Amino acid sequence: MRVTFYTLGCKVNQNETGALAQLFEENGYTVVSNEEGADVYIVNSCTVTNFGDQKSRKWLRRAKRENPGAVTVLTGCYPQAFPDEAAEIAEADVVTGSGNRHAILTDVQKVLNGEEERVVDIRPHEKGERFEELPMDKFAEHTRAFVKVEDGCNRRCAYCVIPRARGPVRSRDEASVLEELRRLADAGYKEVVLTAISLPSYGTDSGTSLVELIEKAAEVPGIERIRLGSLDPDMLHDDDIRRMAAVKKLCPQFHLSLQSGCDKTLRAMRRPYTTAQYADIAAKLRAAFGADNVSFTTDVIVGFPGETEDDFEASMAFVTGMRFLKVHVFPYSRRSCGGGTRCRSSRYAGPQSQRAAGNATVRHNVHRLHEAVPACAGQRTRAQDRRRCGGHAGGLGRETVQGRDRLICIDCCNAVIHARCRGNACIEPRADACIRSCRPGMPRHRKRYCIHSAGKSLDFTEIFLFFVACPLAKSMDFW
């Protein structure tokens, strides 16, 4: 039997999809790509925005239309948050939520064996429930490993449906996390990312803490680099920052959740910090890890109900002043509320023409912020890039993980630069390599194809443009 997955949303969803794929493989299934025909189609949904819901429905309908005899499965946050709506999607033969993932295999087998024509198995989250173990030993499409350590969120932000979709905070047992890290190290993984729904909440329900987990993870032999998922700035205390800075294997790249750079909007969102407090935490992290070493990414919502043009300008001024390496900017997702049951915050009410104009303004502001952030982040100088690399030569190296060989650019802003600037040794440096940083502001898709070596630089994008611009070059006679 063949099974294929379509995953939407965060790193936690990606981790859970990988765990489900491993579960199906262990029970005799073959995991194939979306382009290949399959007997089972599974969409692991995201419901952070209504666009995610739309994508899930669209993919299911296409899968059922093109493969009418296959079993289609809708799982994840969308059916968990809105079970009645998800249960009405006729194209889904199996509908499950974000809890009790192990039951998906049993539900699929029931439909395949003809025991049930359709299965709707959405179990509500309960207070005091335990973390569901979904261990993984391999990551087919990654050379770094993602380890889920926590699930759920106890906060009630005005725009967020995640507490409804994921339930209360549930921390994974520390011994279980460390055991998975040891297995991953034995499999050849050198870099791990600790992921969670509310990562700083890890241990609040079990008497431990995220910092303690990081310290113990760094002691696992074979793990050379540790990264963290999204962090809430108000949950990082001075002692946490001091202890994290002492962990040499921790990469100083932090995703600090912001959502808005305007205090008025933050209050409306029910975020528990101000822009001044946010900037103070960022300054403490820069001081602890070194201003030239640390980098920040974040998320920003544009068009939150009640946000005025002045509020947006204040938000953009704060964001550009923070010198983020990258900002994920997205428009506020207005859902069609039924008596206030689907959205927690007020909707923008008004004539259709006004709503259309408002959406155009939001799109324009999203574009403005997207344009402003790279220009600000790109002001880093070549000298600063060299200081981040510690001034060492040997910019290129290789890592082999589960038989897959990857070229790593030590002196670019990627997975290895942070390990390098934290004093770790160079990984098999190429003899002819030299320090030459990727150009500031270079798009990621061009960095990936940028080859650095002594005295030359080759960019495959430029080669492609040459063939497009010169039709004669396509002729064999030309060469």
Side-chain angles (χ1 to χ4, degrees), residues 14-30:
Q14 296 175 29
N15 175 276
E16 291 172 345
T17 294
L20 287 174
Q22 184 170 313
L23 178 64
F24 273 81
E25 284 182 328
E26 291 171 352
N27 285 272
Y29 287 79
T30 301

Side-chain angles (χ1 to χ4, degrees), residues 43 68 87 296 352 370 428:
V43 54
F296 298 107
Q352 184 65 31
H370 268 303
E428 298 179 12

Side-chain angles (χ1 to χ4, degrees), residues 320-359:
T320 54
M322 284 298 298
R323 295 177 292 143
F324 289 111
L325 181 66
K326 182 181 179 181
V327 177
H328 179 206
V329 187
F330 54 98
Y332 174 74
S333 176
R334 292 180 172 86
R335 300 181 183 272
S336 55
C337 306
T341 58
R342 280 212 51 160
C343 61
R344 311 180 67 87
S345 59
S346 58
R347 284 179 71 208
Y348 179 87
Q352 184 65 31
S353 60
Q354 290 181 347
R355 289 202 296 271
N359 289 336

Side-chain angles (χ1 to χ4, degrees), residues 446 448-451 458-466:
R446 293 190 65 189
R448 187 169 50 191
Y449 299 111
C450 186
I451 298 178
L458 181 62
D459 192 328
F460 289 108
T461 305
E462 295 171 359
I463 296 176
F464 172 76
L465 292 176
F466 168 73

Side-chain angles (χ1 to χ4, degrees), residues 271-285:
R271 296 296 287 174
Y273 52 80
T274 64
T275 53
Q277 291 169 332
Y278 186 100
D280 182 58
I281 293 296
K284 290 177 179 178
L285 286 167

Side-chain angles (χ1 to χ4, degrees), residues 12 73 164 177 181 187 239 245 247 326 371 375:
V12 172
V73 182
R164 183 174 175 178
V177 176
L181 290 177
D239 186 59
V247 179
K326 182 181 179 181
E371 291 292 312

Side-chain angles (χ1 to χ4, degrees), residues 47 76-86 97-99 122-126 129 151-157 159-170 197 335-344:
T47 192
C77 293
Y78 177 26
Q80 188 70 46
F82 309 110
D84 294 338
E85 180 177 316
S98 59
I122 306 172
R123 306 182 186 182
H125 290 294
E126 298 177 354
E129 67 178 291
D151 206 343
C153 182
N154 292 338
R155 293 194 160 175
R156 294 294 183 268
C157 299
Y159 56 86
C160 189
V161 74
I162 291 303
R164 183 174 175 178
R166 287 287 180 169
V169 167
R170 308 178 301 284
I197 296 300
R335 300 181 183 272
S336 55
C337 306
T341 58
R342 280 212 51 160
C343 61
R344 311 180 67 87

